[in-house]
Each structure stands twice: as C-alpha cells, then as structure tokens.
Amino acid sequence: MEKKWTAVIEPSNNLMDLKLKEVWRYKDLIWLFVQRDFKTRYKQTLLGPLWFIVQPLFTTIVQTFVFGNLAGLPTDGVPQFLFYMAGNVPWLYFSTCLTSTSNTFVGNAGVFGKVYFPRLTTPIATVISSVLNFLIQFVMFLGFTIYFMLRGSTVHITWVAALTPLLILEMAMLGMGFGIIVSSLTTKYRDLQVLVGFGVSLWMYATPIIYAASSLSPKMYTAIMLNPMSPIVELMRYGWLGSGTTPWVFWGLSWIVTFIVLFLGIIMFNKVEKTFMDTV
C-alpha cells in the first residue's frame, strides 16, 4: 500500500522564496517559543518579570541625574524623568529585538540540528515575546505620564500617539532585520557577537535618547534623523508628551530602510540556514 505523506520537505534554490506561508502554518510553534522565551528569560531570578520595570526605571533615574542634573542637557521643556523614559522604553525594545535575534543560529544550533521546522519562527517568536516586555514598560511610562499631568506639568498627549502600534511594528521589523543579518554572519564570523553589544551602545548615542533633537543644528539634525530609529523616538515623544519634532519625511525614509533591511535579512537567513550546521 502506497504511503501518503502529509508534508514533504524539499530544498529550495530560489533566494526569493521567503517561505512565509510555511512560517504561518507553524504559528502554534511560534507561540510555544514565545512561552519558552518568557519563562526561561527570568527563570531562577529573585525579581522575575519585575526586571522588565527595574531596567528602564533605573536607567532613566541615572540618565536624569547625569545628563539632566549634572550636564544640564535640554529636554524640550518637559520633566527630565519623562523625557528620558520616553526614549528608553522604545530603545530597549528595539535593542532587545536586535541582540536577541542576532544569536538565533548559534543559540539554537542544538535544536536546529535535530528537527526540521521553519527557522524563521525562532526570531519571530523572540520579537513577539519582547513585545510583552515592552507593553509592561510602556504601561509604567503611561503611569508616570499621568502622574506628572495631574501635578500640572506641561505634558499633553497628541493625536500622534495613535501611531504607536505602527511605531512598535517598525521597531520589531527593524530590530529583527538587523538581528537576523548579524545572526547569518556570525555562523562564520563569531567575533561579530562581541561587537553587537558595543555597536548597539554606540547606536543609542546616535539616537535622540539622552538629548533633544530640537536642540541640534540643522545639519546635525538631518544627520541624526537619517538614523532609522531617530524618527521613531521623536514621534513617540511628541505623541505622548507633546514635545520634540515631527520628522514625517525622515519617518518615511525610516520605513524604506526598515523594509530593505528586513528583506535582505530574510534572504540571507534563508540562504545560511541550509549550510550553517557545517560552520557553527
């Protein structure tokens, strides 16, 4: 009796075959990976999920003291604490997406070498699990925003806040795109893993996290806004605090860069996944 297979695994030689339909069929597996990441990230820790709150909170407190009180950097007329937290919350999400997905091949080599499933499900699950962290931190940010508003601060929410879901989506796509590019390269060049953390730290200073973009000279403002993360941070601040600028043209360019980076990343990822076990 001839056997009828429910699934057939075939090699693909077409770099443009992104296998997105196959990834969608494994959506249950993605959810399992999300649960795994959420549980293992803070397993056997004293504070557990509270670290989601502690990290941006203490970072903001230090920045308020160093850059706000000591250095006296302008904050567009809003409370220094809110100004820095409004930049830290989106930046932490983006940097987490990038650094976590940059370890996809090396970190999951044991699983990838034993069973077949679309490898792209792993970085997608990482990005989704990081959204949960972001939402917790964002709720904390909203709590502080409401507190300062009740105290009579000049903070006010604008209609740009309605674009927050799009900003989150773009950060996820951009972080995942750069992350899987790095992950694809680290299968051969392991020293790139060491440079990721350093590179992300430098990238933060090229983004208006600790300084107001409106205080920059026109040429410097243009240079900073060419960084795809800068318009996102500025729009986040303008939406929820009513301060800063609205760099719509640069946000459009940011989306173009995001799509290009993500597309190139998926192509590199699909190419490397065929042979990475020979090099990892």
Side-chain angles (χ1 to χ4, degrees):
M1 182 178 179
E2 184 180 355
K3 294 182 179 180
K4 295 182 179 180
W5 302 101
T6 57
V8 178
I9 302 174
E10 297 178 342
S12 176
N13 296 320
N14 186 3
L15 290 178
M16 303 304 293
D17 183 12
L18 304 183
K19 301 180 181 180
L20 297 182
K21 291 184 178 179
E22 186 179 19
V23 172
W24 174 251
R25 288 201 299 268
Y26 282 78
K27 55 184 179 295
D28 292 336
L29 180 62
I30 293 177
W31 177 242
L32 289 176
F33 280 144
V34 170
Q35 293 177 312
R36 180 202 66 176
D37 292 343
F38 191 83
K39 291 178 181 178
T40 59
R41 183 170 298 174
Y42 295 99
K43 186 178 181 181
Q44 295 181 332
T45 59
L46 293 176
L47 298 180
L50 287 178
W51 281 113
F52 300 153
I53 297 176
V54 171
Q55 185 177 4
L57 182 60
F58 275 84
T59 301
T60 300
I61 292 173
V62 171
Q63 290 176 344
T64 300
F65 177 74
V66 175
F67 300 106
N69 295 336
L70 296 183
L73 297 181
T75 57
D76 286 331
V78 301
Q80 295 173 346
F81 184 85
L82 281 183
F83 179 87
Y84 294 122
M85 181 168 283
N88 284 324
V89 170
W91 177 259
L92 283 174
Y93 175 58
F94 166 74
S95 61
T96 299
C97 290
L98 197 162
T99 55
S100 298
T101 55
S102 67
N103 194 41
T104 298
F105 281 122
V106 176
N108 296 279
V111 178
F112 288 171
K114 294 178 181 179
V115 63
Y116 172 80
F117 57 87
R119 309 309 188 200
L120 200 58
T121 57
T122 306
I124 291 176
T126 300
V127 169
I128 294 176
S129 64
S130 298
V131 169
L132 302 178
N133 305 353
F134 171 81
L135 292 178
I136 295 174
Q137 296 167 357
F138 188 71
V139 169
M140 177 186 65
F141 164 69
L142 288 183
F144 281 110
T145 301
I146 295 173
Y147 170 76
F148 277 94
M149 291 176 66
L150 293 176
R151 291 192 59 185
S153 176
T154 57
V155 172
H156 63 279
I157 299 175
T158 69
W159 69 269
V160 177
L163 299 176
T164 300
L166 283 177
L167 298 176
I168 296 173
L169 176 63
E170 185 182 3
M171 286 188 291
M173 294 169 60
L174 187 64
M176 177 177 162
F178 278 112
I180 59 180
I181 287 176
V182 174
S183 179
S184 302
L185 295 175
T186 51
T187 57
K188 289 186 178 180
Y189 311 104
R190 290 295 187 87
D191 48 354
L192 286 177
Q193 285 183 295
V194 181
L195 296 176
V196 169
F198 178 68
V200 169
S201 298
L202 289 180
W203 194 342
M204 187 193 75
Y205 290 103
T207 308
I209 306 294
I210 59 175
Y211 53 86
S214 59
S215 64
L216 301 174
S217 64
K219 289 185 178 180
M220 184 61 69
Y221 177 83
T222 300
I224 290 297
M225 284 300 143
L226 290 177
N227 168 7
M229 269 301 295
S230 294
I232 298 175
V233 173
E234 278 295 284
L235 290 175
M236 185 73 76
R237 279 206 185 104
Y238 188 85
W240 293 101
L241 302 181
S243 67
T245 60
T246 51
W248 300 115
V249 174
F250 293 106
W251 191 39
L253 294 175
S254 175
W255 270 107
I256 294 175
V257 173
T258 298
F259 281 121
I260 293 175
V261 168
L262 183 60
F263 182 72
L264 293 177
I266 293 176
I267 290 178
M268 292 179 61
F269 193 88
N270 287 339
K271 181 179 179 180
V272 171
E273 71 171 329
K274 302 173 186 178
T275 58
F276 85 98
M277 288 304 297
D278 297 330
T279 56
V280 170

Short mmCIF file of all heavy atoms in Angstrom, two decimals, residues 182-243:
data_model
loop_
_atom_site.label_atom_id
_atom_site.label_comp_id
_atom_site.label_asym_id
_atom_site.label_seq_id
_atom_site.Cartn_x
_atom_site.Cartn_y
_atom_site.Cartn_z
N VAL A 182 22.93 39.88 11.33
CA VAL A 182 24.07 39.58 12.20
C VAL A 182 24.13 38.09 12.50
O VAL A 182 25.21 37.48 12.49
CB VAL A 182 23.98 40.38 13.51
CG1 VAL A 182 25.08 39.96 14.48
CG2 VAL A 182 24.08 41.87 13.23
N SER A 183 22.98 37.48 12.75
CA SER A 183 22.94 36.04 13.04
C SER A 183 23.46 35.23 11.87
O SER A 183 24.17 34.23 12.05
CB SER A 183 21.50 35.62 13.37
OG SER A 183 21.43 34.23 13.64
N SER A 184 23.12 35.64 10.66
CA SER A 184 23.60 34.94 9.48
C SER A 184 25.10 35.07 9.32
O SER A 184 25.78 34.11 8.91
CB SER A 184 22.90 35.49 8.22
OG SER A 184 21.49 35.35 8.33
N LEU A 185 25.64 36.22 9.67
CA LEU A 185 27.07 36.44 9.53
C LEU A 185 27.88 35.76 10.63
O LEU A 185 29.02 35.34 10.40
CB LEU A 185 27.38 37.95 9.53
CG LEU A 185 26.82 38.75 8.35
CD1 LEU A 185 27.08 40.24 8.55
CD2 LEU A 185 27.44 38.28 7.03
N THR A 186 27.29 35.64 11.83
CA THR A 186 28.03 35.05 12.96
C THR A 186 28.23 33.55 12.83
O THR A 186 28.98 32.97 13.60
CB THR A 186 27.34 35.35 14.30
OG1 THR A 186 25.95 34.98 14.21
CG2 THR A 186 27.46 36.80 14.67
N THR A 187 27.55 32.90 11.89
CA THR A 187 27.79 31.48 11.68
C THR A 187 29.22 31.24 11.19
O THR A 187 29.79 30.17 11.40
CB THR A 187 26.79 30.89 10.67
OG1 THR A 187 26.88 31.62 9.43
CG2 THR A 187 25.37 30.97 11.20
N LYS A 188 29.80 32.25 10.53
CA LYS A 188 31.19 32.15 10.07
C LYS A 188 32.13 33.06 10.84
O LYS A 188 33.30 32.74 11.04
CB LYS A 188 31.27 32.51 8.58
CG LYS A 188 30.65 31.47 7.65
CD LYS A 188 30.90 31.84 6.20
CE LYS A 188 30.35 30.79 5.26
NZ LYS A 188 30.59 31.12 3.83
N TYR A 189 31.61 34.20 11.28
CA TYR A 189 32.45 35.19 11.95
C TYR A 189 31.93 35.39 13.37
O TYR A 189 31.11 36.28 13.63
CB TYR A 189 32.45 36.51 11.17
CG TYR A 189 32.72 36.33 9.70
CD1 TYR A 189 31.69 36.43 8.76
CD2 TYR A 189 34.00 36.05 9.23
CE1 TYR A 189 31.93 36.26 7.41
CE2 TYR A 189 34.25 35.87 7.88
CZ TYR A 189 33.21 35.98 6.97
OH TYR A 189 33.45 35.80 5.64
N ARG A 190 32.42 34.59 14.30
CA ARG A 190 31.91 34.60 15.66
C ARG A 190 32.21 35.90 16.41
O ARG A 190 31.50 36.26 17.35
CB ARG A 190 32.52 33.43 16.46
CG ARG A 190 32.03 32.06 16.03
CD ARG A 190 30.55 31.89 16.31
NE ARG A 190 30.10 30.55 16.06
CZ ARG A 190 30.14 29.56 16.93
NH1 ARG A 190 30.62 29.77 18.14
NH2 ARG A 190 29.70 28.36 16.61
N ASP A 191 33.26 36.59 16.02
CA ASP A 191 33.63 37.80 16.75
C ASP A 191 32.59 38.91 16.58
O ASP A 191 32.59 39.89 17.33
CB ASP A 191 35.00 38.31 16.33
CG ASP A 191 35.17 38.39 14.82
OD1 ASP A 191 34.25 37.93 14.10
OD2 ASP A 191 36.20 38.90 14.37
N LEU A 192 31.68 38.76 15.60
CA LEU A 192 30.62 39.74 15.44
C LEU A 192 29.70 39.77 16.64
O LEU A 192 29.09 40.79 16.95
CB LEU A 192 29.81 39.46 14.17
CG LEU A 192 30.50 39.79 12.83
CD1 LEU A 192 29.60 39.39 11.67
CD2 LEU A 192 30.83 41.27 12.76
N GLN A 193 29.57 38.63 17.33
CA GLN A 193 28.72 38.57 18.52
C GLN A 193 29.23 39.53 19.59
O GLN A 193 28.46 40.14 20.33
CB GLN A 193 28.67 37.15 19.07
CG GLN A 193 27.80 36.21 18.25
CD GLN A 193 27.72 34.84 18.87
OE1 GLN A 193 28.72 34.13 18.96
NE2 GLN A 193 26.56 34.45 19.32
N VAL A 194 30.56 39.64 19.69
CA VAL A 194 31.15 40.53 20.69
C VAL A 194 30.88 41.99 20.32
O VAL A 194 30.67 42.84 21.20
CB VAL A 194 32.67 40.30 20.79
CG1 VAL A 194 33.29 41.20 21.84
CG2 VAL A 194 32.95 38.83 21.10
N LEU A 195 30.84 42.28 19.04
CA LEU A 195 30.67 43.65 18.58
C LEU A 195 29.23 44.13 18.63
O LEU A 195 28.98 45.34 18.59
CB LEU A 195 31.20 43.79 17.14
CG LEU A 195 32.70 43.55 16.94
CD1 LEU A 195 33.05 43.63 15.47
CD2 LEU A 195 33.51 44.57 17.73
N VAL A 196 28.27 43.20 18.72
CA VAL A 196 26.86 43.58 18.69
C VAL A 196 26.51 44.50 19.86
O VAL A 196 25.93 45.58 19.67
CB VAL A 196 25.94 42.34 18.69
CG1 VAL A 196 24.49 42.74 18.93
CG2 VAL A 196 26.05 41.60 17.37
N GLY A 197 26.85 44.07 21.08
CA GLY A 197 26.54 44.89 22.24
C GLY A 197 27.19 46.25 22.19
O GLY A 197 26.57 47.28 22.51
N PHE A 198 28.46 46.29 21.76
CA PHE A 198 29.18 47.55 21.64
C PHE A 198 28.55 48.44 20.57
O PHE A 198 28.38 49.65 20.77
CB PHE A 198 30.65 47.27 21.30
CG PHE A 198 31.48 48.50 21.10
CD1 PHE A 198 31.77 49.34 22.16
CD2 PHE A 198 31.97 48.82 19.85
CE1 PHE A 198 32.53 50.48 21.98
CE2 PHE A 198 32.73 49.96 19.65
CZ PHE A 198 33.02 50.79 20.73
N GLY A 199 28.19 47.82 19.44
CA GLY A 199 27.58 48.58 18.35
C GLY A 199 26.23 49.16 18.73
O GLY A 199 25.91 50.30 18.39
N VAL A 200 25.43 48.39 19.47
CA VAL A 200 24.12 48.87 19.90
C VAL A 200 24.28 50.05 20.86
O VAL A 200 23.51 51.02 20.81
CB VAL A 200 23.31 47.73 20.56
CG1 VAL A 200 22.06 48.26 21.25
CG2 VAL A 200 22.92 46.69 19.51
N SER A 201 25.28 49.99 21.74
CA SER A 201 25.53 51.10 22.67
C SER A 201 25.90 52.37 21.92
O SER A 201 25.41 53.47 22.25
CB SER A 201 26.66 50.72 23.64
OG SER A 201 26.30 49.61 24.43
N LEU A 202 26.75 52.26 20.90
CA LEU A 202 27.11 53.43 20.10
C LEU A 202 25.91 53.95 19.33
O LEU A 202 25.73 55.17 19.18
CB LEU A 202 28.23 53.06 19.12
CG LEU A 202 29.61 52.81 19.71
CD1 LEU A 202 30.60 52.46 18.61
CD2 LEU A 202 30.10 54.01 20.51
N TRP A 203 25.07 53.03 18.84
CA TRP A 203 23.88 53.41 18.09
C TRP A 203 22.94 54.25 18.96
O TRP A 203 22.29 55.17 18.47
CB TRP A 203 23.17 52.15 17.59
CG TRP A 203 22.13 52.38 16.55
CD1 TRP A 203 21.52 53.55 16.23
CD2 TRP A 203 21.58 51.40 15.66
NE1 TRP A 203 20.61 53.38 15.22
CE2 TRP A 203 20.63 52.07 14.85
CE3 TRP A 203 21.78 50.05 15.49
CZ2 TRP A 203 19.88 51.40 13.89
CZ3 TRP A 203 21.04 49.39 14.52
CH2 TRP A 203 20.11 50.04 13.72
N MET A 204 22.88 53.93 20.24
CA MET A 204 21.99 54.68 21.13
C MET A 204 22.37 56.16 21.17
O MET A 204 21.50 57.04 21.22
CB MET A 204 22.06 54.09 22.55
CG MET A 204 21.05 54.71 23.50
SD MET A 204 21.35 54.34 25.23
CE MET A 204 22.75 55.41 25.58
N TYR A 205 23.69 56.45 21.14
CA TYR A 205 24.12 57.85 21.19
C TYR A 205 23.88 58.57 19.87
O TYR A 205 23.91 59.80 19.83
CB TYR A 205 25.60 57.92 21.57
CG TYR A 205 25.85 57.53 23.01
CD1 TYR A 205 26.36 56.28 23.33
CD2 TYR A 205 25.53 58.40 24.05
CE1 TYR A 205 26.58 55.91 24.65
CE2 TYR A 205 25.74 58.05 25.37
CZ TYR A 205 26.26 56.80 25.67
OH TYR A 205 26.44 56.44 26.97
N ALA A 206 23.64 57.80 18.81
CA ALA A 206 23.28 58.40 17.52
C ALA A 206 21.77 58.56 17.41
O ALA A 206 21.26 58.96 16.35
CB ALA A 206 23.81 57.55 16.37
N THR A 207 21.06 58.24 18.47
CA THR A 207 19.60 58.37 18.54
C THR A 207 19.27 59.36 19.65
O THR A 207 19.91 59.32 20.71
CB THR A 207 18.96 57.00 18.85
OG1 THR A 207 19.46 56.02 17.93
CG2 THR A 207 17.44 57.05 18.74
N PRO A 208 18.29 60.24 19.45
CA PRO A 208 17.98 61.26 20.47
C PRO A 208 17.30 60.67 21.72
O PRO A 208 16.12 60.90 21.97
CB PRO A 208 17.06 62.24 19.74
CG PRO A 208 16.45 61.44 18.65
CD PRO A 208 17.49 60.45 18.23
N ILE A 209 18.08 59.89 22.47
CA ILE A 209 17.57 59.31 23.71
C ILE A 209 17.89 60.22 24.89
O ILE A 209 17.02 60.52 25.71
CB ILE A 209 18.20 57.92 23.97
CG1 ILE A 209 18.01 57.00 22.76
CG2 ILE A 209 17.63 57.30 25.24
CD1 ILE A 209 16.58 56.65 22.50
N ILE A 210 19.13 60.69 24.96
CA ILE A 210 19.57 61.49 26.11
C ILE A 210 19.65 62.97 25.78
O ILE A 210 20.03 63.77 26.64
CB ILE A 210 20.93 61.00 26.63
CG1 ILE A 210 21.99 61.11 25.53
CG2 ILE A 210 20.83 59.57 27.14
CD1 ILE A 210 23.39 60.76 25.99
N TYR A 211 19.32 63.34 24.55
CA TYR A 211 19.35 64.75 24.18
C TYR A 211 18.15 65.04 23.28
O TYR A 211 17.58 64.14 22.65
CB TYR A 211 20.65 65.12 23.46
CG TYR A 211 20.98 64.24 22.28
CD1 TYR A 211 20.46 64.51 21.02
CD2 TYR A 211 21.79 63.12 22.43
CE1 TYR A 211 20.75 63.69 19.93
CE2 TYR A 211 22.09 62.30 21.36
CZ TYR A 211 21.56 62.59 20.11
OH TYR A 211 21.84 61.78 19.04
N ALA A 212 17.76 66.29 23.23
CA ALA A 212 16.62 66.70 22.41
C ALA A 212 17.08 66.99 20.99
O ALA A 212 18.03 67.75 20.78
CB ALA A 212 15.96 67.94 23.02
N ALA A 213 16.41 66.39 20.02
CA ALA A 213 16.79 66.60 18.63
C ALA A 213 16.58 68.05 18.22
O ALA A 213 17.28 68.58 17.35
CB ALA A 213 15.98 65.67 17.72
N SER A 214 15.63 68.73 18.85
CA SER A 214 15.34 70.13 18.51
C SER A 214 16.48 71.07 18.89
O SER A 214 16.54 72.20 18.40
CB SER A 214 14.05 70.58 19.20
OG SER A 214 14.17 70.45 20.61
N SER A 215 17.38 70.60 19.75
CA SER A 215 18.50 71.45 20.18
C SER A 215 19.70 71.35 19.25
O SER A 215 20.69 72.05 19.44
CB SER A 215 18.93 71.07 21.61
OG SER A 215 19.44 69.73 21.64
N LEU A 216 19.62 70.49 18.25
CA LEU A 216 20.74 70.28 17.33
C LEU A 216 20.73 71.31 16.22
O LEU A 216 19.69 71.89 15.89
CB LEU A 216 20.67 68.87 16.72
CG LEU A 216 20.68 67.69 17.70
CD1 LEU A 216 20.46 66.39 16.95
CD2 LEU A 216 22.00 67.64 18.47
N SER A 217 21.88 71.51 15.60
CA SER A 217 21.97 72.38 14.43
C SER A 217 21.26 71.70 13.26
O SER A 217 21.07 70.48 13.27
CB SER A 217 23.43 72.64 14.08
OG SER A 217 24.07 71.42 13.69
N PRO A 218 20.84 72.46 12.24
CA PRO A 218 20.11 71.86 11.11
C PRO A 218 20.86 70.70 10.45
O PRO A 218 20.26 69.67 10.13
CB PRO A 218 19.94 73.04 10.14
CG PRO A 218 19.92 74.24 11.02
CD PRO A 218 20.88 73.93 12.13
N LYS A 219 22.17 70.86 10.25
CA LYS A 219 22.94 69.79 9.61
C LYS A 219 23.02 68.56 10.52
O LYS A 219 22.87 67.42 10.05
CB LYS A 219 24.35 70.29 9.28
CG LYS A 219 24.40 71.29 8.14
CD LYS A 219 25.84 71.64 7.79
CE LYS A 219 25.89 72.61 6.62
NZ LYS A 219 27.30 72.97 6.26
N MET A 220 23.26 68.78 11.80
CA MET A 220 23.34 67.67 12.73
C MET A 220 21.98 66.99 12.88
O MET A 220 21.89 65.76 12.99
CB MET A 220 23.85 68.15 14.08
CG MET A 220 24.07 67.03 15.10
SD MET A 220 25.29 65.81 14.55
CE MET A 220 26.79 66.80 14.64
N TYR A 221 20.92 67.78 12.87
CA TYR A 221 19.56 67.23 12.97
C TYR A 221 19.28 66.29 11.79
O TYR A 221 18.75 65.19 11.97
CB TYR A 221 18.54 68.36 13.00
CG TYR A 221 17.10 67.90 13.02
CD1 TYR A 221 16.49 67.53 14.22
CD2 TYR A 221 16.36 67.83 11.84
CE1 TYR A 221 15.17 67.10 14.24
CE2 TYR A 221 15.04 67.41 11.85
CZ TYR A 221 14.45 67.04 13.05
OH TYR A 221 13.15 66.61 13.07
N THR A 222 19.65 66.74 10.59
CA THR A 222 19.44 65.91 9.40
C THR A 222 20.23 64.61 9.50
O THR A 222 19.72 63.53 9.19
CB THR A 222 19.86 66.67 8.13
OG1 THR A 222 19.08 67.86 8.02
CG2 THR A 222 19.66 65.82 6.89
N ALA A 223 21.48 64.71 9.94
CA ALA A 223 22.33 63.52 10.07
C ALA A 223 21.75 62.54 11.09
O ALA A 223 21.71 61.32 10.85
CB ALA A 223 23.75 63.92 10.46
N ILE A 224 21.28 63.06 12.23
CA ILE A 224 20.73 62.20 13.27
C ILE A 224 19.43 61.55 12.80
O ILE A 224 19.17 60.37 13.07
CB ILE A 224 20.49 63.01 14.56
CG1 ILE A 224 21.82 63.38 15.21
CG2 ILE A 224 19.64 62.21 15.56
CD1 ILE A 224 22.66 62.20 15.67
N MET A 225 18.61 62.29 12.07
CA MET A 225 17.32 61.75 11.62
C MET A 225 17.45 60.72 10.51
O MET A 225 16.50 59.99 10.23
CB MET A 225 16.42 62.90 11.15
CG MET A 225 15.83 63.70 12.30
SD MET A 225 14.82 62.67 13.39
CE MET A 225 15.23 63.37 14.98
N LEU A 226 18.61 60.64 9.88
CA LEU A 226 18.83 59.58 8.89
C LEU A 226 18.99 58.23 9.57
O LEU A 226 18.90 57.19 8.92
CB LEU A 226 20.06 59.90 8.04
CG LEU A 226 19.90 61.08 7.07
CD1 LEU A 226 21.21 61.35 6.34
CD2 LEU A 226 18.78 60.80 6.06
N ASN A 227 19.25 58.24 10.86
CA ASN A 227 19.23 57.03 11.66
C ASN A 227 17.77 56.56 11.74
O ASN A 227 16.91 57.30 12.22
CB ASN A 227 19.78 57.34 13.06
CG ASN A 227 19.54 56.22 14.06
OD1 ASN A 227 19.08 55.13 13.74
ND2 ASN A 227 19.84 56.50 15.32
N PRO A 228 17.44 55.36 11.27
CA PRO A 228 16.03 54.94 11.21
C PRO A 228 15.31 54.89 12.55
O PRO A 228 14.08 54.94 12.59
CB PRO A 228 16.11 53.54 10.57
CG PRO A 228 17.51 53.08 10.78
CD PRO A 228 18.35 54.32 10.77
N MET A 229 16.06 54.83 13.66
CA MET A 229 15.41 54.80 14.97
C MET A 229 15.07 56.20 15.48
O MET A 229 14.20 56.36 16.34
CB MET A 229 16.30 54.09 15.99
CG MET A 229 16.08 52.61 16.11
SD MET A 229 14.40 52.16 16.58
CE MET A 229 14.31 52.86 18.25
N SER A 230 15.75 57.22 14.98
CA SER A 230 15.54 58.58 15.49
C SER A 230 14.13 59.10 15.27
O SER A 230 13.50 59.62 16.21
CB SER A 230 16.56 59.53 14.86
OG SER A 230 17.88 59.21 15.27
N PRO A 231 13.55 58.98 14.06
CA PRO A 231 12.17 59.46 13.89
C PRO A 231 11.17 58.71 14.77
O PRO A 231 10.18 59.30 15.22
CB PRO A 231 11.89 59.20 12.40
CG PRO A 231 13.22 59.11 11.76
CD PRO A 231 14.12 58.51 12.79
N ILE A 232 11.43 57.45 15.02
CA ILE A 232 10.52 56.66 15.87
C ILE A 232 10.50 57.22 17.29
O ILE A 232 9.43 57.42 17.88
CB ILE A 232 10.95 55.18 15.88
CG1 ILE A 232 10.85 54.59 14.47
CG2 ILE A 232 10.10 54.37 16.85
CD1 ILE A 232 11.37 53.17 14.37
N VAL A 233 11.69 57.47 17.84
CA VAL A 233 11.78 58.01 19.20
C VAL A 233 11.16 59.40 19.26
O VAL A 233 10.42 59.72 20.21
CB VAL A 233 13.25 58.05 19.67
CG1 VAL A 233 13.37 58.77 21.01
CG2 VAL A 233 13.81 56.64 19.78
N GLU A 234 11.42 60.24 18.26
CA GLU A 234 10.87 61.59 18.26
C GLU A 234 9.34 61.57 18.19
O GLU A 234 8.67 62.33 18.88
CB GLU A 234 11.44 62.38 17.07
CG GLU A 234 12.81 62.96 17.31
CD GLU A 234 12.82 64.03 18.39
OE1 GLU A 234 12.37 65.15 18.14
OE2 GLU A 234 13.24 63.72 19.52
N LEU A 235 8.79 60.70 17.35
CA LEU A 235 7.33 60.64 17.23
C LEU A 235 6.71 60.05 18.49
O LEU A 235 5.60 60.45 18.89
CB LEU A 235 6.95 59.79 16.01
CG LEU A 235 7.25 60.43 14.65
CD1 LEU A 235 6.95 59.45 13.52
CD2 LEU A 235 6.43 61.71 14.47
N MET A 236 7.41 59.13 19.13
CA MET A 236 6.90 58.58 20.39
C MET A 236 6.82 59.68 21.45
O MET A 236 5.83 59.79 22.18
CB MET A 236 7.82 57.45 20.86
CG MET A 236 7.33 56.72 22.11
SD MET A 236 5.92 55.64 21.81
CE MET A 236 6.75 54.25 20.98
N ARG A 237 7.87 60.49 21.52
CA ARG A 237 7.87 61.60 22.49
C ARG A 237 6.79 62.64 22.16
O ARG A 237 6.08 63.11 23.04
CB ARG A 237 9.24 62.28 22.50
CG ARG A 237 10.28 61.57 23.32
CD ARG A 237 11.33 62.55 23.81
NE ARG A 237 12.41 61.87 24.50
CZ ARG A 237 13.61 61.65 23.99
NH1 ARG A 237 13.89 62.06 22.78
NH2 ARG A 237 14.54 61.04 24.70
N TYR A 238 6.70 62.99 20.89
CA TYR A 238 5.72 64.01 20.50
C TYR A 238 4.30 63.51 20.75
O TYR A 238 3.42 64.27 21.15
CB TYR A 238 5.89 64.38 19.03
CG TYR A 238 5.04 65.55 18.61
CD1 TYR A 238 5.49 66.86 18.80
CD2 TYR A 238 3.79 65.35 18.04
CE1 TYR A 238 4.70 67.94 18.43
CE2 TYR A 238 3.00 66.43 17.66
CZ TYR A 238 3.45 67.71 17.87
OH TYR A 238 2.67 68.77 17.51
N GLY A 239 4.07 62.22 20.50
CA GLY A 239 2.73 61.67 20.67
C GLY A 239 2.28 61.66 22.12
O GLY A 239 1.14 62.02 22.42
N TRP A 240 3.17 61.23 23.02
CA TRP A 240 2.76 61.02 24.42
C TRP A 240 3.15 62.16 25.36
O TRP A 240 2.63 62.24 26.47
CB TRP A 240 3.34 59.70 24.92
CG TRP A 240 2.72 58.54 24.22
CD1 TRP A 240 3.27 57.82 23.19
CD2 TRP A 240 1.43 57.97 24.44
NE1 TRP A 240 2.40 56.84 22.76
CE2 TRP A 240 1.26 56.91 23.52
CE3 TRP A 240 0.39 58.25 25.34
CZ2 TRP A 240 0.10 56.13 23.47
CZ3 TRP A 240 -0.77 57.48 25.29
CH2 TRP A 240 -0.90 56.45 24.36
N LEU A 241 4.07 63.02 24.93
CA LEU A 241 4.48 64.13 25.79
C LEU A 241 4.19 65.49 25.17
O LEU A 241 4.22 66.51 25.86
CB LEU A 241 5.98 64.04 26.11
CG LEU A 241 6.46 62.76 26.80
CD1 LEU A 241 7.95 62.84 27.08
CD2 LEU A 241 5.68 62.50 28.08
N GLY A 242 3.93 65.51 23.85
CA GLY A 242 3.68 66.78 23.18
C GLY A 242 4.92 67.62 23.00
O GLY A 242 4.83 68.84 22.83
N SER A 243 6.10 67.01 23.04
CA SER A 243 7.35 67.74 22.90
C SER A 243 8.17 67.15 21.77
O SER A 243 7.94 66.01 21.35
CB SER A 243 8.16 67.68 24.20
OG SER A 243 8.59 66.35 24.44
#
